[in-house]
Amino acid sequence: MAPSKSTTAAAVLLLAVASASATGAEAAVSTCVSSLLEVSPCLSFFKDAAATAAPEGCCEGLKSIVEGEAVCLCHIVNHTLERAIGVHIPVDRAFSLLRDICRLSPPADAIATCANNKGGVPPLYSCPAPSCTRIKRTSISLKAKDEVSFIRG
């Protein structure tokens, strides 16, 4: 099944966040945005509550996060990713996708890091000072037709 326009728009927003955080020399701070880009094939699964199978590429993307930077899954647990891209990602559904459908087991210490909230989780993205100013003046909205538009304010 082809991704919907709103799923594609959410993926575009995730890429916009990634590119904004990757600009400038100050962006050397470790972030989770690159790892979490691997979630983009899974967005249609979260948008369709009746879906029972992982979309193509989803389990592979999740596997790369679990094996690479599992602690970045905390951005799903604490809804940071959801707020950044505007796609509702129920935590129980995300972990069901991980464990039951993709047969992946995130390390217990990574999940404990999310639960105890004592740090150790890289930020979702970093924003160098000049880019932050530019981003604060730009708002992203989805129109009724699920088109992505950038409005300068």
Side-chain angles (χ1 to χ4, degrees), residues 25-103:
E26 298 90 351
V29 175
S30 177
T31 67
C32 287
V33 74
S34 295
S35 294
L36 290 173
L37 280 172
E38 301 292 337
V39 173
S40 59
C42 306
L43 294 178
S44 62
F45 178 85
F46 296 119
K47 292 182 72 66
D48 180 3
T52 57
E56 185 178 337
C58 176
C59 290
E60 294 83 1
L62 289 173
K63 181 179 180 182
S64 73
I65 296 171
V66 168
E67 291 177 353
E69 289 194 80
V71 73
C72 289
L73 293 171
C74 291
H75 289 291
I76 293 174
V77 173
N78 67 23
H79 304 283
T80 311
L81 179 62
E82 180 177 309
R83 288 188 302 269
I85 65 172
V87 173
H88 179 59
I89 302 175
V91 174
D92 58 338
R93 189 151 163 81
F95 279 94
S96 174
L97 174 63
L98 267 168
R99 293 186 175 126
D100 303 334
I101 298 173
C102 296
R103 304 282 187 225

Side-chain angles (χ1 to χ4, degrees), residues 5-20:
K5 288 182 181 179
S6 59
T7 301
T8 302
V12 168
L13 290 174
L14 189 55
L15 288 170
V17 168
S19 65

